[in-house]
Amino acid sequence: MCNFNKQSEDTKALIHLFMQKAAQNVGGTNFLLALIEAMKTKRPNPLMYKECQISSNNTIIKWNKVVFKDKVDVLEEILVGHKSSENPDFNILNIENAKKKKAILNMVKTLAPIEFIVTPQNPNDGGGFNFKVFDTVEDDNVKINPIFVAMFFCSTEFTKKALKYEF
């Protein structure tokens, strides 16, 4: 998931276009990268940050719900299992183990309503952007949003490659 070179051409293009637009809407590439770096400093995971807000010098990301460790652990287990996946659009419900599937469904129910809102601290820098945890949430099909993964789980190098990508 966090290896930009192993993404499909469509996913690379999607992430590139979104990151380019996102950078424009928060005042530039450096502001976006600074926000991602600020998020990386929050341990053990920025999603569990009680204030539901992280800010860099120029940009703020906010979300509407604290995520507890058990849900982050399930999400990280999924991402680690698909870390070098050639298929980034995998359905996270494609799992045989009923106990794990139930844990994943509970995590999906908890995280699906969360929306992340990124805004520049100076309104003249742009209008900001927002995104959700999942691209698709249907009965038997749940796909994680690659933008969410890039912002919260991948390195800044991933984002840099996405911003420089040419198709």
Side-chain angles (χ1 to χ4, degrees):
M1 294 270 330
C2 286
N3 185 339
F4 189 76
N5 297 329
K6 288 192 175 185
Q7 304 294 319
S8 70
E9 292 303 313
D10 290 344
T11 303
K12 285 180 183 178
L14 169 81
I15 295 170
H16 168 76
L17 292 172
F18 187 90
M19 290 298 185
Q20 285 284 358
K21 188 96 171 136
Q24 291 171 2
N25 287 334
V26 295
T29 301
N30 290 337
F31 289 3
L32 180 64
L33 292 173
L35 176 65
I36 293 172
E37 285 294 329
M39 292 166 61
K40 301 292 180 224
T41 65
K42 304 301 179 201
R43 298 281 178 231
N45 188 295
L47 289 170
M48 295 188 296
Y49 200 56
K50 284 186 275 189
E51 285 78 28
C52 296
Q53 170 180 317
I54 297 173
S55 58
S56 65
N57 290 339
N58 307 88
T59 316
I60 300 170
I61 184 170
K62 297 178 183 180
W63 57 98
N64 51 346
K65 186 177 183 181
V66 176
V67 180
F68 294 108
K69 184 172 179 6
D70 62 329
K71 304 304 181 217
V72 172
D73 288 346
V74 171
L75 187 58
E76 284 178 339
E77 185 180 331
I78 292 166
L79 294 174
V80 166
H82 293 86
K83 193 165 188 94
S84 60
S85 177
E86 299 287 339
N87 179 14
D89 297 329
F90 65 93
N91 178 3
I92 65 174
L93 295 179
N94 279 348
I95 190 163
E96 298 299 318
N97 185 326
K99 189 174 180 182
K100 282 186 179 182
K101 190 169 187 172
K102 184 175 183 198
I104 292 170
L105 282 169
N106 286 337
M107 181 265 306
V108 169
K109 288 176 189 171
T110 302
L111 300 184
I114 297 177
E115 183 171 13
F116 299 92
I117 301 167
V118 180
T119 54
Q121 292 192 19
N122 180 349
N124 295 332
D125 287 337
F129 64 94
N130 56 352
F131 59 94
K132 290 190 164 262
V133 177
F134 303 107
D135 260 352
T136 307
V137 179
E138 296 168 353
D139 290 340
D140 290 331
N141 188 15
V142 178
K143 294 181 182 174
I144 298 176
N145 185 343
I147 305 307
F148 167 75
V149 175
M151 294 289 287
F152 280 92
F153 293 96
C154 297
S155 67
T156 28
E157 290 303 313
F158 180 90
T159 306
K160 287 178 184 177
K161 284 182 181 180
L163 288 165
K164 291 178 183 175
Y165 177 71
E166 293 181 19
F167 56 97

